[in-house]
Amino acid sequence: MSRTTDGTRDRERTRSAVIEAAERLLGERGTRVSVAEIAADAGVSKSGLLHHFPSKDELLLAVAEHGLEAFKDEVMRHVDLAENRAGKVLRAYVRTLCGGSERAMAVFSPTAMWTGLTAVPGVEPVIAADATYWRETFARDGLPEDRSLVVRHAAEGLAAATSMQPYLDDRELAVARTALLALAEPTD
């Protein structure tokens, strides 16, 4: 990437590096990780990090926003446009959560960084907006609400269970994934 005259690409690259480092370290250590540790991992100075994110809370809010948006993008990449029938997004959700997605594991793992992020000022409305997005998306997806809710939350539970070996092995995950995909098909 070349630098633009206003430094936009360098700013974007630095911001991305900081967010990625923060996600990684939050996943390893939780919210106890310091801004200095995040800056060092991202390869920027602490003052450089604070230039982009004036406080740790602002950085954590950006991490939450980025993580939720990246998860949405990943689910949408799993949508099979050839599936011209109801449940297309729900099946993509199942494929994402039950297909070994690292992003999904990061979001739904019981030890996920999200546990600590929920206490950060400003994160609650971001999470509420994300929940609204998924409710509206699944409502438009064309399957009955009861089936959609059961399949969706079962997939989330399976994603969480994968981090709790030996309770769910790869074979069992594949069996459950197949069953959920079948439940995410229209019946009429």
Side-chain angles (χ1 to χ4, degrees):
M1 251 186 247
S2 64
R3 183 183 168 114
T4 60
T5 54
D6 66 356
T8 301
R9 288 193 177 147
D10 283 344
R11 280 195 299 271
E12 290 170 6
R13 192 175 19 229
T14 300
R15 187 175 170 83
S16 292
V18 168
I19 289 173
E20 288 171 17
E23 282 182 338
R24 186 172 40 261
L25 292 174
L26 284 165
E28 293 171 8
R29 299 186 211 152
T31 55
R32 294 179 312 275
V33 67
S34 71
V35 169
E37 291 171 306
I38 294 168
D41 191 79
V44 300
S45 66
K46 183 177 175 182
S47 63
L49 182 151
L50 293 172
H51 172 74
H52 293 277
F53 305 99
S55 71
K56 184 177 179 181
D57 283 347
E58 287 183 51
L59 170 58
L60 297 179
L61 178 60
V63 167
E65 290 169 338
H66 176 265
L68 293 171
E69 197 60 38
F71 178 70
K72 277 183 208 170
D73 292 345
E74 187 167 347
V75 170
M76 293 308 156
R77 280 193 302 275
H78 281 89
V79 171
D80 184 347
L81 298 177
E83 293 180 352
N84 196 17
R85 60 191 183 280
K88 185 184 316 191
V89 176
L90 184 59
R91 288 187 297 279
Y93 199 79
V94 170
R95 286 191 287 270
T96 303
L97 289 168
C98 301
S101 162
E102 288 184 31
R103 172 71 53 192
M105 300 308 109
V107 172
F108 291 99
S109 168
T111 59
M113 66 180 180
W114 295 100
T115 307
L117 288 180
T118 58
V120 173
V123 169
E124 190 174 312
V126 169
I127 292 172
D130 186 66
T132 298
Y133 167 83
W134 287 112
R135 280 188 189 100
E136 292 171 353
T137 298
F138 290 125
R140 287 189 308 269
D141 201 28
L143 291 177
E145 182 182 23
D146 57 347
R147 184 165 343 141
S148 184
L149 282 168
V150 168
V151 170
R152 174 184 172 197
H153 292 295
E156 292 167 358
L158 288 167
T162 60
S163 68
M164 300 174 62
Q165 295 292 331
Y167 292 101
L168 181 69
D169 64 28
D170 290 342
R171 185 197 65 77
E172 293 168 327
L173 178 61
V175 168
R177 178 181 190 263
T178 299
L180 290 179
L181 288 171
L183 290 170
E185 291 289 345
T187 55
D188 15 308

